[in-house]
Amino acid sequence: MSSFPEVHASKHAQRTLQPLTELTDKMKPSHSTKPLIKLSMGDPTADGNLVAPQILVDEMVDIVKSKDFNGYPPVAGFNDARQVVAEYWKKFCGTPGRKDQIHWRNVLLTSGGSHAIMLAISALCNEGDNLLVGAPAFPHYKTVCDSYGVECRYFPLDAARNWEADLDAAAKLVDSKTRGVLFVNPSNPCGSNYSRAHVGEIIEFCEKHHLPLISDEIYAELVFKDEVFTSIADFDTDVPRVVLGGSAKHAVTPGWRIGWLILVDRKEVATAWMKGMDRLAQLLTGSNSIGQMSLVRALTKIPQDHVDSVIAQLEEGAKVYNRLLKHDIGLSFDAPRASMFIMLKVDFNYFKDIATDMDFYEKLLDEENVQVLPGEIFGVHGFVRATTSRPARIVNEAVDRIIEFCERHKK
Ligand SMILES: *Cc1c(COP(=O)(O)O)cnc(C)c1O
């Protein structure tokens, strides 16, 4: 018998929860004999219908073969990489004056967008502080907040108005411990894309309450036909703003772990925040050199045809869900305008034996072997999230099963 005492995990580790893993771990085997269809998936590479642009792949291979970039990059990233990200982001800033607000020294290369989220939050908030986050929210925001002892304080987004922020409700949540506002546009999980007017309203809110803004814009390229994306970088305001992005979605390379953050800070009031993010980036000694150099060579050269083809497939997937609306089955939604997801609103009055998102999720999985994600993971109730990035024939099969499922549970 060993007398070695048990080793405990730190509080920091114990309060770092992974909602998706927990849900999957709890998953009971389905009673259905039908093959599993995951509409829960967030990985665009899963089916092979969406692929990385060839130029990016070729450049990465070339960079590896050259052996020229096997050393440590600077913690903030190679200057070349920071410059190329700064140049690239200017495409989302309409007028010349606004383009000048983006300085490459305020760009930091990260290990994926998730790392950028972690740096932006942890360099801004102390334990006990709170961050205002629009819900439904990408689950990683709460995971990071919980991990650092920061309160992820949700304010509602309105499903009936293209998921716009209810800023009156948000105003009531501001207190002396509020350190900033975080939102995602275009949205995972909502599939929304905000108008310039609404992004302007969010910035005015931050001006009024003196709150810095973090905007996750990783889906900037993936807005549907006739939609226009508006970046928070494209405004004349003194509000210090951090824009988050990466290669995971439009360049279909989530596994490469390439992301970035850009501080836009016209009045230079947030240099300490930038320095803080740079300090915290040292914990990983920066992000990988090969990925950074791939951006340098390819980021601004990804053909529009590539991006258009990704968008076309996402729109095709999204359109399949319209079939749900042709049946009276207790499900409704606004057509998605961007990103890879759709939030389905569940009307519990329709069902005889489904009263929560979790019920809907568990029963659908058990009876039809279709996996969606319950709203509670995103900080809301009465909704489930489904993916639009899977091939249309798979979504079609899933939609058939969802229709049968709902009809079977009708009151
Ligand atoms: C996918 C995603 C990210 C970042 O993902 P990484 O794989 O870490 O680059 C960030 N925000 C949202 C909303 C996402 O959907």
PDB file of all heavy atoms in Angstrom, residues 353-390:
ATOM      1  N   ASP A 353     -44.910  16.488 -23.550  1.00  0.00           N
ATOM      2  CA  ASP A 353     -43.978  15.958 -22.548  1.00  0.00           C
ATOM      3  C   ASP A 353     -42.552  16.490 -22.720  1.00  0.00           C
ATOM      4  O   ASP A 353     -41.587  15.808 -22.410  1.00  0.00           O
ATOM      5  CB  ASP A 353     -43.982  14.430 -22.609  1.00  0.00           C
ATOM      6  CG  ASP A 353     -43.697  13.926 -24.023  1.00  0.00           C
ATOM      7  OD1 ASP A 353     -43.547  14.780 -24.925  1.00  0.00           O
ATOM      8  OD2 ASP A 353     -43.621  12.709 -24.221  1.00  0.00           O
ATOM      9  N   ILE A 354     -42.448  17.708 -23.267  1.00  0.00           N
ATOM     10  CA  ILE A 354     -41.129  18.341 -23.368  1.00  0.00           C
ATOM     11  C   ILE A 354     -41.262  19.740 -22.776  1.00  0.00           C
ATOM     12  O   ILE A 354     -42.033  20.561 -23.278  1.00  0.00           O
ATOM     13  CB  ILE A 354     -40.652  18.434 -24.838  1.00  0.00           C
ATOM     14  CG1 ILE A 354     -40.404  17.027 -25.382  1.00  0.00           C
ATOM     15  CG2 ILE A 354     -39.377  19.279 -24.957  1.00  0.00           C
ATOM     16  CD1 ILE A 354     -40.061  16.971 -26.856  1.00  0.00           C
ATOM     17  N   ALA A 355     -40.520  19.978 -21.684  1.00  0.00           N
ATOM     18  CA  ALA A 355     -40.720  21.233 -20.958  1.00  0.00           C
ATOM     19  C   ALA A 355     -39.467  22.080 -20.854  1.00  0.00           C
ATOM     20  O   ALA A 355     -39.521  23.233 -20.425  1.00  0.00           O
ATOM     21  CB  ALA A 355     -41.259  20.934 -19.560  1.00  0.00           C
ATOM     22  N   THR A 356     -38.317  21.523 -21.242  1.00  0.00           N
ATOM     23  CA  THR A 356     -37.069  22.294 -21.179  1.00  0.00           C
ATOM     24  C   THR A 356     -36.214  21.988 -22.416  1.00  0.00           C
ATOM     25  O   THR A 356     -36.445  21.000 -23.109  1.00  0.00           O
ATOM     26  CB  THR A 356     -36.223  21.917 -19.939  1.00  0.00           C
ATOM     27  OG1 THR A 356     -35.796  20.550 -20.061  1.00  0.00           O
ATOM     28  CG2 THR A 356     -37.004  22.086 -18.645  1.00  0.00           C
ATOM     29  N   ASP A 357     -35.184  22.826 -22.621  1.00  0.00           N
ATOM     30  CA  ASP A 357     -34.251  22.592 -23.733  1.00  0.00           C
ATOM     31  C   ASP A 357     -33.567  21.243 -23.554  1.00  0.00           C
ATOM     32  O   ASP A 357     -33.300  20.526 -24.521  1.00  0.00           O
ATOM     33  CB  ASP A 357     -33.116  23.621 -23.774  1.00  0.00           C
ATOM     34  CG  ASP A 357     -33.596  25.034 -23.676  1.00  0.00           C
ATOM     35  OD1 ASP A 357     -34.786  25.269 -23.916  1.00  0.00           O
ATOM     36  OD2 ASP A 357     -32.760  25.895 -23.355  1.00  0.00           O
ATOM     37  N   MET A 358     -33.260  20.963 -22.280  1.00  0.00           N
ATOM     38  CA  MET A 358     -32.537  19.742 -21.962  1.00  0.00           C
ATOM     39  C   MET A 358     -33.388  18.509 -22.318  1.00  0.00           C
ATOM     40  O   MET A 358     -32.875  17.536 -22.859  1.00  0.00           O
ATOM     41  CB  MET A 358     -32.189  19.759 -20.469  1.00  0.00           C
ATOM     42  CG  MET A 358     -30.978  19.011 -20.129  1.00  0.00           C
ATOM     43  SD  MET A 358     -29.568  19.586 -21.113  1.00  0.00           S
ATOM     44  CE  MET A 358     -28.319  18.637 -20.406  1.00  0.00           C
ATOM     45  N   ASP A 359     -34.697  18.596 -22.011  1.00  0.00           N
ATOM     46  CA  ASP A 359     -35.659  17.546 -22.389  1.00  0.00           C
ATOM     47  C   ASP A 359     -35.623  17.322 -23.895  1.00  0.00           C
ATOM     48  O   ASP A 359     -35.566  16.187 -24.380  1.00  0.00           O
ATOM     49  CB  ASP A 359     -37.100  18.029 -22.109  1.00  0.00           C
ATOM     50  CG  ASP A 359     -37.612  17.536 -20.781  1.00  0.00           C
ATOM     51  OD1 ASP A 359     -36.869  16.813 -20.095  1.00  0.00           O
ATOM     52  OD2 ASP A 359     -38.760  17.892 -20.445  1.00  0.00           O
ATOM     53  N   PHE A 360     -35.734  18.436 -24.616  1.00  0.00           N
ATOM     54  CA  PHE A 360     -35.766  18.358 -26.075  1.00  0.00           C
ATOM     55  C   PHE A 360     -34.483  17.693 -26.572  1.00  0.00           C
ATOM     56  O   PHE A 360     -34.509  16.747 -27.373  1.00  0.00           O
ATOM     57  CB  PHE A 360     -35.893  19.772 -26.680  1.00  0.00           C
ATOM     58  CG  PHE A 360     -36.120  19.783 -28.170  1.00  0.00           C
ATOM     59  CD1 PHE A 360     -37.400  19.853 -28.701  1.00  0.00           C
ATOM     60  CD2 PHE A 360     -35.042  19.723 -29.063  1.00  0.00           C
ATOM     61  CE1 PHE A 360     -37.613  19.859 -30.079  1.00  0.00           C
ATOM     62  CE2 PHE A 360     -35.244  19.716 -30.437  1.00  0.00           C
ATOM     63  CZ  PHE A 360     -36.530  19.788 -30.948  1.00  0.00           C
ATOM     64  N   TYR A 361     -33.363  18.162 -26.052  1.00  0.00           N
ATOM     65  CA  TYR A 361     -32.045  17.641 -26.442  1.00  0.00           C
ATOM     66  C   TYR A 361     -31.955  16.140 -26.158  1.00  0.00           C
ATOM     67  O   TYR A 361     -31.564  15.352 -27.035  1.00  0.00           O
ATOM     68  CB  TYR A 361     -30.964  18.421 -25.675  1.00  0.00           C
ATOM     69  CG  TYR A 361     -29.620  17.728 -25.633  1.00  0.00           C
ATOM     70  CD1 TYR A 361     -28.756  17.788 -26.712  1.00  0.00           C
ATOM     71  CD2 TYR A 361     -29.232  17.006 -24.502  1.00  0.00           C
ATOM     72  CE1 TYR A 361     -27.525  17.139 -26.676  1.00  0.00           C
ATOM     73  CE2 TYR A 361     -28.008  16.353 -24.451  1.00  0.00           C
ATOM     74  CZ  TYR A 361     -27.162  16.413 -25.546  1.00  0.00           C
ATOM     75  OH  TYR A 361     -25.971  15.765 -25.507  1.00  0.00           O
ATOM     76  N   GLU A 362     -32.294  15.744 -24.937  1.00  0.00           N
ATOM     77  CA  GLU A 362     -32.117  14.339 -24.530  1.00  0.00           C
ATOM     78  C   GLU A 362     -33.052  13.400 -25.285  1.00  0.00           C
ATOM     79  O   GLU A 362     -32.642  12.336 -25.739  1.00  0.00           O
ATOM     80  CB  GLU A 362     -32.344  14.190 -23.018  1.00  0.00           C
ATOM     81  CG  GLU A 362     -31.140  14.655 -22.231  1.00  0.00           C
ATOM     82  CD  GLU A 362     -31.338  14.618 -20.720  1.00  0.00           C
ATOM     83  OE1 GLU A 362     -32.485  14.360 -20.253  1.00  0.00           O
ATOM     84  OE2 GLU A 362     -30.361  14.859 -20.005  1.00  0.00           O
ATOM     85  N   LYS A 363     -34.316  13.826 -25.435  1.00  0.00           N
ATOM     86  CA  LYS A 363     -35.289  12.949 -26.097  1.00  0.00           C
ATOM     87  C   LYS A 363     -35.000  12.820 -27.592  1.00  0.00           C
ATOM     88  O   LYS A 363     -35.114  11.740 -28.167  1.00  0.00           O
ATOM     89  CB  LYS A 363     -36.716  13.433 -25.852  1.00  0.00           C
ATOM     90  CG  LYS A 363     -37.134  13.222 -24.395  1.00  0.00           C
ATOM     91  CD  LYS A 363     -38.603  13.506 -24.148  1.00  0.00           C
ATOM     92  CE  LYS A 363     -39.018  12.947 -22.798  1.00  0.00           C
ATOM     93  NZ  LYS A 363     -39.549  13.970 -21.883  1.00  0.00           N
ATOM     94  N   LEU A 364     -34.601  13.917 -28.205  1.00  0.00           N
ATOM     95  CA  LEU A 364     -34.278  13.872 -29.639  1.00  0.00           C
ATOM     96  C   LEU A 364     -33.089  12.938 -29.874  1.00  0.00           C
ATOM     97  O   LEU A 364     -33.083  12.138 -30.818  1.00  0.00           O
ATOM     98  CB  LEU A 364     -33.963  15.284 -30.156  1.00  0.00           C
ATOM     99  CG  LEU A 364     -33.604  15.393 -31.648  1.00  0.00           C
ATOM    100  CD1 LEU A 364     -34.786  14.996 -32.537  1.00  0.00           C
ATOM    101  CD2 LEU A 364     -33.137  16.809 -32.006  1.00  0.00           C
ATOM    102  N   LEU A 365     -32.125  13.014 -28.992  1.00  0.00           N
ATOM    103  CA  LEU A 365     -30.949  12.163 -29.121  1.00  0.00           C
ATOM    104  C   LEU A 365     -31.316  10.696 -28.867  1.00  0.00           C
ATOM    105  O   LEU A 365     -30.899   9.798 -29.605  1.00  0.00           O
ATOM    106  CB  LEU A 365     -29.883  12.632 -28.124  1.00  0.00           C
ATOM    107  CG  LEU A 365     -28.512  11.980 -28.213  1.00  0.00           C
ATOM    108  CD1 LEU A 365     -27.882  12.225 -29.585  1.00  0.00           C
ATOM    109  CD2 LEU A 365     -27.584  12.549 -27.126  1.00  0.00           C
ATOM    110  N   ASP A 366     -32.116  10.489 -27.861  1.00  0.00           N
ATOM    111  CA  ASP A 366     -32.481   9.124 -27.500  1.00  0.00           C
ATOM    112  C   ASP A 366     -33.346   8.458 -28.572  1.00  0.00           C
ATOM    113  O   ASP A 366     -33.110   7.309 -28.944  1.00  0.00           O
ATOM    114  CB  ASP A 366     -33.243   9.149 -26.166  1.00  0.00           C
ATOM    115  CG  ASP A 366     -33.586   7.739 -25.714  1.00  0.00           C
ATOM    116  OD1 ASP A 366     -32.687   6.866 -25.790  1.00  0.00           O
ATOM    117  OD2 ASP A 366     -34.732   7.492 -25.296  1.00  0.00           O
ATOM    118  N   GLU A 367     -34.317   9.205 -29.114  1.00  0.00           N
ATOM    119  CA  GLU A 367     -35.275   8.592 -30.027  1.00  0.00           C
ATOM    120  C   GLU A 367     -34.852   8.640 -31.491  1.00  0.00           C
ATOM    121  O   GLU A 367     -35.185   7.759 -32.271  1.00  0.00           O
ATOM    122  CB  GLU A 367     -36.648   9.273 -29.872  1.00  0.00           C
ATOM    123  CG  GLU A 367     -37.229   9.074 -28.485  1.00  0.00           C
ATOM    124  CD  GLU A 367     -38.459   9.947 -28.249  1.00  0.00           C
ATOM    125  OE1 GLU A 367     -39.139  10.294 -29.238  1.00  0.00           O
ATOM    126  OE2 GLU A 367     -38.720  10.287 -27.079  1.00  0.00           O
ATOM    127  N   GLU A 368     -34.133   9.709 -31.862  1.00  0.00           N
ATOM    128  CA  GLU A 368     -33.814   9.898 -33.284  1.00  0.00           C
ATOM    129  C   GLU A 368     -32.321   9.893 -33.569  1.00  0.00           C
ATOM    130  O   GLU A 368     -31.903   9.965 -34.730  1.00  0.00           O
ATOM    131  CB  GLU A 368     -34.417  11.215 -33.793  1.00  0.00           C
ATOM    132  CG  GLU A 368     -35.938  11.277 -33.730  1.00  0.00           C
ATOM    133  CD  GLU A 368     -36.602  10.286 -34.690  1.00  0.00           C
ATOM    134  OE1 GLU A 368     -35.953   9.875 -35.672  1.00  0.00           O
ATOM    135  OE2 GLU A 368     -37.766   9.929 -34.442  1.00  0.00           O
ATOM    136  N   ASN A 369     -31.508   9.827 -32.522  1.00  0.00           N
ATOM    137  CA  ASN A 369     -30.053   9.874 -32.675  1.00  0.00           C
ATOM    138  C   ASN A 369     -29.585  11.111 -33.442  1.00  0.00           C
ATOM    139  O   ASN A 369     -28.648  11.047 -34.242  1.00  0.00           O
ATOM    140  CB  ASN A 369     -29.530   8.583 -33.329  1.00  0.00           C
ATOM    141  CG  ASN A 369     -28.221   8.126 -32.675  1.00  0.00           C
ATOM    142  OD1 ASN A 369     -27.753   8.721 -31.710  1.00  0.00           O
ATOM    143  ND2 ASN A 369     -27.623   7.083 -33.220  1.00  0.00           N
ATOM    144  N   VAL A 370     -30.267  12.228 -33.165  1.00  0.00           N
ATOM    145  CA  VAL A 370     -29.846  13.517 -33.702  1.00  0.00           C
ATOM    146  C   VAL A 370     -29.410  14.374 -32.518  1.00  0.00           C
ATOM    147  O   VAL A 370     -30.164  14.532 -31.561  1.00  0.00           O
ATOM    148  CB  VAL A 370     -31.000  14.223 -34.455  1.00  0.00           C
ATOM    149  CG1 VAL A 370     -30.611  15.648 -34.846  1.00  0.00           C
ATOM    150  CG2 VAL A 370     -31.389  13.425 -35.691  1.00  0.00           C
ATOM    151  N   GLN A 371     -28.185  14.879 -32.593  1.00  0.00           N
ATOM    152  CA  GLN A 371     -27.684  15.689 -31.485  1.00  0.00           C
ATOM    153  C   GLN A 371     -27.632  17.165 -31.846  1.00  0.00           C
ATOM    154  O   GLN A 371     -26.930  17.568 -32.778  1.00  0.00           O
ATOM    155  CB  GLN A 371     -26.280  15.227 -31.053  1.00  0.00           C
ATOM    156  CG  GLN A 371     -25.823  15.930 -29.786  1.00  0.00           C
ATOM    157  CD  GLN A 371     -24.411  15.560 -29.349  1.00  0.00           C
ATOM    158  OE1 GLN A 371     -23.560  15.236 -30.175  1.00  0.00           O
ATOM    159  NE2 GLN A 371     -24.170  15.603 -28.053  1.00  0.00           N
ATOM    160  N   VAL A 372     -28.410  17.975 -31.103  1.00  0.00           N
ATOM    161  CA  VAL A 372     -28.309  19.435 -31.188  1.00  0.00           C
ATOM    162  C   VAL A 372     -27.652  19.885 -29.879  1.00  0.00           C
ATOM    163  O   VAL A 372     -27.119  19.039 -29.155  1.00  0.00           O
ATOM    164  CB  VAL A 372     -29.709  20.080 -31.370  1.00  0.00           C
ATOM    165  CG1 VAL A 372     -30.267  19.736 -32.741  1.00  0.00           C
ATOM    166  CG2 VAL A 372     -30.670  19.638 -30.269  1.00  0.00           C
ATOM    167  N   LEU A 373     -27.665  21.157 -29.564  1.00  0.00           N
ATOM    168  CA  LEU A 373     -27.140  21.583 -28.262  1.00  0.00           C
ATOM    169  C   LEU A 373     -28.186  22.420 -27.527  1.00  0.00           C
ATOM    170  O   LEU A 373     -28.797  23.311 -28.128  1.00  0.00           O
ATOM    171  CB  LEU A 373     -25.849  22.388 -28.432  1.00  0.00           C
ATOM    172  CG  LEU A 373     -24.607  21.578 -28.821  1.00  0.00           C
ATOM    173  CD1 LEU A 373     -23.422  22.509 -29.061  1.00  0.00           C
ATOM    174  CD2 LEU A 373     -24.259  20.529 -27.765  1.00  0.00           C
ATOM    175  N   PRO A 374     -28.409  22.132 -26.247  1.00  0.00           N
ATOM    176  CA  PRO A 374     -29.420  22.863 -25.476  1.00  0.00           C
ATOM    177  C   PRO A 374     -29.004  24.306 -25.199  1.00  0.00           C
ATOM    178  O   PRO A 374     -27.824  24.592 -25.010  1.00  0.00           O
ATOM    179  CB  PRO A 374     -29.511  22.066 -24.166  1.00  0.00           C
ATOM    180  CG  PRO A 374     -28.194  21.365 -24.040  1.00  0.00           C
ATOM    181  CD  PRO A 374     -27.714  21.117 -25.442  1.00  0.00           C
ATOM    182  N   GLY A 375     -30.017  25.209 -25.182  1.00  0.00           N
ATOM    183  CA  GLY A 375     -29.761  26.639 -24.983  1.00  0.00           C
ATOM    184  C   GLY A 375     -28.970  26.959 -23.730  1.00  0.00           C
ATOM    185  O   GLY A 375     -28.214  27.936 -23.713  1.00  0.00           O
ATOM    186  N   GLU A 376     -29.127  26.160 -22.697  1.00  0.00           N
ATOM    187  CA  GLU A 376     -28.470  26.523 -21.431  1.00  0.00           C
ATOM    188  C   GLU A 376     -26.953  26.631 -21.554  1.00  0.00           C
ATOM    189  O   GLU A 376     -26.321  27.393 -20.821  1.00  0.00           O
ATOM    190  CB  GLU A 376     -28.883  25.585 -20.294  1.00  0.00           C
ATOM    191  CG  GLU A 376     -28.464  24.154 -20.445  1.00  0.00           C
ATOM    192  CD  GLU A 376     -28.960  23.330 -19.229  1.00  0.00           C
ATOM    193  OE1 GLU A 376     -30.166  23.390 -18.900  1.00  0.00           O
ATOM    194  OE2 GLU A 376     -28.123  22.662 -18.630  1.00  0.00           O
ATOM    195  N   ILE A 377     -26.369  25.896 -22.489  1.00  0.00           N
ATOM    196  CA  ILE A 377     -24.926  26.009 -22.717  1.00  0.00           C
ATOM    197  C   ILE A 377     -24.550  27.407 -23.181  1.00  0.00           C
ATOM    198  O   ILE A 377     -23.440  27.887 -22.975  1.00  0.00           O
ATOM    199  CB  ILE A 377     -24.495  24.951 -23.767  1.00  0.00           C
ATOM    200  CG1 ILE A 377     -24.485  23.583 -23.119  1.00  0.00           C
ATOM    201  CG2 ILE A 377     -23.145  25.265 -24.384  1.00  0.00           C
ATOM    202  CD1 ILE A 377     -23.933  22.504 -23.997  1.00  0.00           C
ATOM    203  N   PHE A 378     -25.522  28.087 -23.802  1.00  0.00           N
ATOM    204  CA  PHE A 378     -25.270  29.424 -24.351  1.00  0.00           C
ATOM    205  C   PHE A 378     -25.861  30.523 -23.460  1.00  0.00           C
ATOM    206  O   PHE A 378     -25.891  31.680 -23.843  1.00  0.00           O
ATOM    207  CB  PHE A 378     -25.867  29.513 -25.764  1.00  0.00           C
ATOM    208  CG  PHE A 378     -25.426  28.376 -26.656  1.00  0.00           C
ATOM    209  CD1 PHE A 378     -26.219  27.238 -26.813  1.00  0.00           C
ATOM    210  CD2 PHE A 378     -24.196  28.420 -27.288  1.00  0.00           C
ATOM    211  CE1 PHE A 378     -25.797  26.173 -27.612  1.00  0.00           C
ATOM    212  CE2 PHE A 378     -23.767  27.369 -28.087  1.00  0.00           C
ATOM    213  CZ  PHE A 378     -24.566  26.240 -28.244  1.00  0.00           C
ATOM    214  N   GLY A 379     -26.355  30.119 -22.285  1.00  0.00           N
ATOM    215  CA  GLY A 379     -26.869  31.096 -21.331  1.00  0.00           C
ATOM    216  C   GLY A 379     -28.309  31.520 -21.566  1.00  0.00           C
ATOM    217  O   GLY A 379     -28.719  32.582 -21.102  1.00  0.00           O
ATOM    218  N   VAL A 380     -29.078  30.698 -22.314  1.00  0.00           N
ATOM    219  CA  VAL A 380     -30.502  31.027 -22.546  1.00  0.00           C
ATOM    220  C   VAL A 380     -31.375  29.787 -22.377  1.00  0.00           C
ATOM    221  O   VAL A 380     -30.879  28.656 -22.328  1.00  0.00           O
ATOM    222  CB  VAL A 380     -30.763  31.589 -23.966  1.00  0.00           C
ATOM    223  CG1 VAL A 380     -30.151  32.962 -24.122  1.00  0.00           C
ATOM    224  CG2 VAL A 380     -30.267  30.634 -25.044  1.00  0.00           C
ATOM    225  N   HIS A 381     -32.672  30.005 -22.306  1.00  0.00           N
ATOM    226  CA  HIS A 381     -33.621  28.890 -22.273  1.00  0.00           C
ATOM    227  C   HIS A 381     -34.616  29.038 -23.416  1.00  0.00           C
ATOM    228  O   HIS A 381     -34.885  30.143 -23.858  1.00  0.00           O
ATOM    229  CB  HIS A 381     -34.350  28.855 -20.925  1.00  0.00           C
ATOM    230  CG  HIS A 381     -33.422  28.531 -19.796  1.00  0.00           C
ATOM    231  ND1 HIS A 381     -32.903  27.273 -19.597  1.00  0.00           N
ATOM    232  CD2 HIS A 381     -32.880  29.315 -18.832  1.00  0.00           C
ATOM    233  CE1 HIS A 381     -32.082  27.289 -18.563  1.00  0.00           C
ATOM    234  NE2 HIS A 381     -32.048  28.521 -18.074  1.00  0.00           N
ATOM    235  N   GLY A 382     -35.150  27.915 -23.856  1.00  0.00           N
ATOM    236  CA  GLY A 382     -36.172  27.957 -24.901  1.00  0.00           C
ATOM    237  C   GLY A 382     -35.615  27.872 -26.313  1.00  0.00           C
ATOM    238  O   GLY A 382     -36.338  28.131 -27.278  1.00  0.00           O
ATOM    239  N   PHE A 383     -34.354  27.497 -26.428  1.00  0.00           N
ATOM    240  CA  PHE A 383     -33.732  27.378 -27.753  1.00  0.00           C
ATOM    241  C   PHE A 383     -32.806  26.165 -27.797  1.00  0.00           C
ATOM    242  O   PHE A 383     -32.319  25.714 -26.767  1.00  0.00           O
ATOM    243  CB  PHE A 383     -32.888  28.615 -28.073  1.00  0.00           C
ATOM    244  CG  PHE A 383     -33.680  29.868 -28.213  1.00  0.00           C
ATOM    245  CD1 PHE A 383     -33.952  30.662 -27.099  1.00  0.00           C
ATOM    246  CD2 PHE A 383     -34.167  30.263 -29.448  1.00  0.00           C
ATOM    247  CE1 PHE A 383     -34.699  31.830 -27.222  1.00  0.00           C
ATOM    248  CE2 PHE A 383     -34.908  31.427 -29.582  1.00  0.00           C
ATOM    249  CZ  PHE A 383     -35.180  32.213 -28.470  1.00  0.00           C
ATOM    250  N   VAL A 384     -32.576  25.654 -28.994  1.00  0.00           N
ATOM    251  CA  VAL A 384     -31.479  24.698 -29.209  1.00  0.00           C
ATOM    252  C   VAL A 384     -30.679  25.179 -30.422  1.00  0.00           C
ATOM    253  O   VAL A 384     -31.223  25.820 -31.322  1.00  0.00           O
ATOM    254  CB  VAL A 384     -31.980  23.242 -29.448  1.00  0.00           C
ATOM    255  CG1 VAL A 384     -32.658  22.687 -28.197  1.00  0.00           C
ATOM    256  CG2 VAL A 384     -32.899  23.152 -30.655  1.00  0.00           C
ATOM    257  N   ARG A 385     -29.373  24.863 -30.405  1.00  0.00           N
ATOM    258  CA  ARG A 385     -28.516  25.284 -31.523  1.00  0.00           C
ATOM    259  C   ARG A 385     -28.240  24.118 -32.455  1.00  0.00           C
ATOM    260  O   ARG A 385     -28.008  22.995 -32.001  1.00  0.00           O
ATOM    261  CB  ARG A 385     -27.182  25.826 -31.019  1.00  0.00           C
ATOM    262  CG  ARG A 385     -26.360  26.487 -32.140  1.00  0.00           C
ATOM    263  CD  ARG A 385     -24.903  26.705 -31.769  1.00  0.00           C
ATOM    264  NE  ARG A 385     -24.130  25.475 -31.869  1.00  0.00           N
ATOM    265  CZ  ARG A 385     -22.806  25.403 -31.738  1.00  0.00           C
ATOM    266  NH1 ARG A 385     -22.120  26.501 -31.470  1.00  0.00           N
ATOM    267  NH2 ARG A 385     -22.177  24.251 -31.837  1.00  0.00           N
ATOM    268  N   ALA A 386     -28.287  24.399 -33.757  1.00  0.00           N
ATOM    269  CA  ALA A 386     -27.940  23.389 -34.756  1.00  0.00           C
ATOM    270  C   ALA A 386     -26.939  23.990 -35.742  1.00  0.00           C
ATOM    271  O   ALA A 386     -26.862  25.203 -35.911  1.00  0.00           O
ATOM    272  CB  ALA A 386     -29.194  22.919 -35.492  1.00  0.00           C
ATOM    273  N   THR A 387     -26.175  23.098 -36.377  1.00  0.00           N
ATOM    274  CA  THR A 387     -25.096  23.493 -37.280  1.00  0.00           C
ATOM    275  C   THR A 387     -25.595  23.578 -38.719  1.00  0.00           C
ATOM    276  O   THR A 387     -26.383  22.730 -39.156  1.00  0.00           O
ATOM    277  CB  THR A 387     -23.990  22.417 -37.186  1.00  0.00           C
ATOM    278  OG1 THR A 387     -23.540  22.396 -35.844  1.00  0.00           O
ATOM    279  CG2 THR A 387     -22.838  22.697 -38.098  1.00  0.00           C
ATOM    280  N   THR A 388     -25.102  24.568 -39.468  1.00  0.00           N
ATOM    281  CA  THR A 388     -25.490  24.684 -40.875  1.00  0.00           C
ATOM    282  C   THR A 388     -24.352  24.265 -41.808  1.00  0.00           C
ATOM    283  O   THR A 388     -24.513  24.286 -43.026  1.00  0.00           O
ATOM    284  CB  THR A 388     -25.878  26.140 -41.218  1.00  0.00           C
ATOM    285  OG1 THR A 388     -24.789  27.000 -40.876  1.00  0.00           O
ATOM    286  CG2 THR A 388     -27.106  26.580 -40.447  1.00  0.00           C
ATOM    287  N   SER A 389     -23.207  23.883 -41.230  1.00  0.00           N
ATOM    288  CA  SER A 389     -22.035  23.603 -42.077  1.00  0.00           C
ATOM    289  C   SER A 389     -21.986  22.177 -42.623  1.00  0.00           C
ATOM    290  O   SER A 389     -21.152  21.868 -43.462  1.00  0.00           O
ATOM    291  CB  SER A 389     -20.747  23.877 -41.291  1.00  0.00           C
ATOM    292  OG  SER A 389     -20.646  22.999 -40.195  1.00  0.00           O
ATOM    293  N   ARG A 390     -22.895  21.318 -42.178  1.00  0.00           N
ATOM    294  CA  ARG A 390     -22.867  19.950 -42.667  1.00  0.00           C
ATOM    295  C   ARG A 390     -23.520  19.869 -44.058  1.00  0.00           C
ATOM    296  O   ARG A 390     -24.355  20.703 -44.404  1.00  0.00           O
ATOM    297  CB  ARG A 390     -23.580  19.028 -41.668  1.00  0.00           C
ATOM    298  CG  ARG A 390     -22.985  19.201 -40.244  1.00  0.00           C
ATOM    299  CD  ARG A 390     -23.021  17.954 -39.453  1.00  0.00           C
ATOM    300  NE  ARG A 390     -22.281  16.881 -40.090  1.00  0.00           N
ATOM    301  CZ  ARG A 390     -22.295  15.616 -39.686  1.00  0.00           C
ATOM    302  NH1 ARG A 390     -23.013  15.273 -38.637  1.00  0.00           N
ATOM    303  NH2 ARG A 390     -21.599  14.705 -40.309  1.00  0.00           N
TER     304      ARG A 390
END
